[in-house]
Amino acid sequence: MKRLASTGFGTACVLFLQGCSGWQSALDPKGPAASELAWLIWFFTALCAVIWVLVMIALAAPLLMRPRTRSEPLALDAGADHRKLRVIVIAVGLTAAIVVGLTLLSFFANRTLAAIGSDAALTIRVTGHQWWWEVRYEDATPSRILTTANEIHIPAGEPVRLLLTSTDVIHSFWIPSLAGKLDLIPGHINVLDIRADKPGVYRGQCAEFCGAQHANMGTFIIAEPRAKFDAWWNDQLQPAGPPTNGEAKNGADLFLKRPCVMCHRIGGTPAGGTVAPDLTHVASRQTIAAGTLMMSRGNLAAWIADPQGVKPGSHMPVVELNGDELNAIVAYLEGLK
Ligand code: CUA
């Protein structure tokens, strides 16, 4: 029984500690901002733990020690009072010094975070919507401005400036492996500078309750070597490829005749809606509906057939389609790489 309990405890510890690493963990930093914050939290935690242990010892010691002399409880003892006063003054002074010290550490950590950015950095505007992320790559050349959704590709090892805003309610942008969280506020732009040290995929999550589907408002940062990132950007700038078979061709025609076209844009077609994610290269993304489902033919069909079943409350309406029509639209969309 004892052995079972200790094995269970060991397993629980391993599972618990596994939560500290991975693609979405503030304790497994993959960039300078997250490293600075992780260092700060570990230092605060360690120092506070030491102080807590010392306070517990100071409390327990008089309770456990035998009094050396039995003095009269109410007798005045000026010497002892003076010593106690001195201990209190020292303790208050130490407390103040530690609080001021920790405040200064936080302040200097902020300076490190502010130093990550660079004016020459790639600038990406991230707009929060209930419940997805609009991602717009800014460029001095208008034809190179790119709009996509939910997945943010960045060049690894380079500073990236994110301009955060919202169209509806307050959201919060949080990629724990790369940086601290920052709110997206309607009518206001917050600036977050990030850098991913190495290529990789880092998951992020809206961190401010923003309505029914707050939990299904995920995002991904995909850090790639510069050449791969440039190639990705150039690919994404291309209009959608033409449908490659008869079914997909039917799907493209249906898409343009049905209400889909009112909300979604597909570059190179008359579909120009901007209130929902841009679908020009939707099949190149790894997930559907802001991280809710993995990208696959079956999941695309499930999402279009029953968006309210997959993500109740989302603004994606049900479009009346029969089985053949649904298959055709899915065939078209899954070709939009
Ligand atoms: Cu957006 Cu929570």
Side-chain angles (χ1 to χ4, degrees):
M1 189 65 202
K2 212 168 155 188
R3 206 173 136 195
L4 195 70
S6 69
T7 315
F9 179 72
T11 313
C13 283
V14 168
L15 288 176
F16 178 73
L17 288 173
Q18 268 180 351
C20 301
S21 65
W23 67 351
Q24 184 182 304
S25 171
L27 299 178
D28 188 12
K30 296 287 194 260
S35 299
E36 187 71 17
L37 295 173
W39 177 87
L40 203 62
I41 190 75
W42 282 121
F43 185 82
F44 269 57
T45 307
L47 185 65
C48 291
V50 169
I51 293 169
W52 183 81
V53 169
L54 291 177
V55 168
M56 288 302 125
I57 290 172
L59 267 177
L63 294 175
L64 298 175
M65 277 191 312
R66 276 162 188 277
R68 269 168 298 177
T69 53
R70 291 211 166 271
S71 60
E72 191 61 39
L74 294 178
L76 286 175
D77 181 344
D81 284 353
H82 189 74
R83 283 197 301 278
K84 283 173 193 162
L85 184 67
R86 204 162 56 187
V87 169
I88 290 170
V89 167
I90 290 172
V92 168
L94 271 177
T95 305
I98 289 168
V99 169
V100 170
L102 290 180
T103 307
L104 285 175
L105 272 182
S106 291
F107 174 75
F108 285 113
N110 263 328
R111 283 174 49 133
T112 310
L113 299 190
I116 292 168
S118 130
D119 288 340
L122 170 67
T123 302
I124 305 172
R125 181 184 291 253
V126 178
T127 307
H129 294 260
Q130 283 175 318
W131 291 274
W132 60 283
W133 311 86
E134 180 184 337
V135 183
R136 189 175 118 129
Y137 292 74
E138 305 288 2
D139 198 282
T141 313
S143 63
R144 286 196 56 80
I145 293 175
L146 165 69
T147 302
T148 176
N150 299 328
E151 290 181 5
I152 306 172
H153 287 244
I154 61 169
E158 293 180 31
V160 176
R161 175 153 293 175
L162 300 176
L163 306 178
L164 307 176
T165 187
S166 166
T167 51
D168 36 45
V169 299
I170 297 178
H171 304 271
S172 181
F173 185 82
W174 193 27
I175 311 280
S177 305
L178 296 183
K181 57 182 84 159
L182 193 59
D183 281 357
L184 298 93
I185 300 168
H188 176 83
I189 289 178
N190 273 335
V191 178
L192 180 67
D193 289 325
I194 61 166
R195 196 176 81 207
D197 288 333
K198 286 193 199 123
V201 178
Y202 309 107
R203 194 184 185 282
Q205 174 63 40
C206 180
E208 176 85 37
F209 181 72
C210 54
Q213 289 300 329
H214 158 69
N216 280 325
M217 192 168 166
T219 181
F220 296 89
I221 292 241
I222 298 156
E224 304 166 309
R226 184 75 204 195
K228 207 172 162 200
F229 169 75
D230 285 339
W232 172 84
W233 190 338
N234 288 330
D235 278 352
Q236 296 280 316
L237 283 170
Q238 303 303 315
T244 48
N245 58 43
E247 193 181 32
K249 173 82 179 61
N250 287 343
D253 294 343
L254 273 168
F255 189 96
L256 295 176
K257 280 190 217 139
R258 296 301 174 91
C260 322
V261 72
M262 307 297 288
C263 301
H264 293 286
R265 177 178 172 273
I266 295 183
T269 78
T274 53
V275 298
D278 188 301
L279 300 181
T280 309
H281 297 284
V282 63
S284 72
R285 304 202 278 263
Q286 299 176 13
T287 68
I288 309 167
T292 309
L293 297 172
M294 295 309 288
M295 175 64 68
S296 72
R297 188 184 175 108
N299 283 343
L300 265 176
W303 172 239
I304 297 167
D306 187 16
Q308 297 304 315
V310 173
K311 202 165 169 177
S314 89
H315 298 310
M316 167 93 170
V318 179
V319 177
E320 291 295 329
L321 297 167
N322 66 34
D324 288 343
E325 292 171 331
L326 178 63
N327 274 331
I329 287 189
V330 169
Y332 174 50
L333 292 181
E334 76 171 347
L336 301 179
K337 299 272 186 198

